Amino acid sequence: MVTEQARRPDEDGDVTRADSLARQIFTGVANKWALLIINALGERTLRFTALRSEVDGVSHKMLTQTLRGLERDGLVHRTVYAEVPPRVDYRLTEAGAALRDTVNGMCAWTRRYLDEIEAARRRFDAQNTGDHSETGDHSETGDHSEAGATGE
């Protein structure tokens, strides 16, 4: 008889562990498309095409993949109506709505620090133009190996 070794709940809840359930969930929701979709849905129920127009730049494929992942994690509820043409609606679940509070906080943080971050980027870019030594980027030398020209 083969039995799986049971993971302790504290291991599943540890986002720093690569094999934890928490990390899997975190990875699924901590991407730009998931955050933008959660924000767009808000307290509304939207059809796929309306949702796609709300999230500027998202492709049909990426919206489909992201919605499926959010549905799998119980953050989005999908309702299919037996109509011709078929109608599918999406809305946030209770868990999705709770996550939206966090997303709203991130959006508020972004708006609050937008000018400061933009200025920091300009300073950084001005100071680091042509400097690729810290990142190991050897693209200007034509060397695309990880070790660079030295072979180290």
Side-chain angles (χ1 to χ4, degrees), residues 133 135-138 141 143-152:
S133 59
T135 62
D137 181 356
H138 303 281
T141 64
D143 183 0
H144 298 287
S145 68
E146 187 174 321
T150 63
E152 296 177 66

Side-chain angles (χ1 to χ4, degrees), residues 14-70:
D14 185 355
V15 296
T16 62
R17 290 181 54 98
D19 64 343
S20 72
L21 178 59
R23 171 78 70 92
Q24 292 173 19
I25 294 167
F26 190 80
T27 300
V29 299
N31 71 70
K32 73 176 176 182
W33 297 123
L35 296 174
L36 292 171
I37 289 166
I38 289 166
N39 187 58
L41 280 172
E43 296 178 12
R44 305 179 292 173
T45 298
L46 294 175
R47 293 176 75 169
F48 185 91
T49 53
L51 189 51
R52 186 167 179 210
S53 67
E54 289 277 329
V55 181
D56 190 34
V58 69
S59 69
H60 185 280
K61 178 182 177 184
M62 189 53 63
L63 180 56
T64 300
Q65 287 177 352
T66 305
L67 283 168
R68 288 180 60 84
L70 293 171

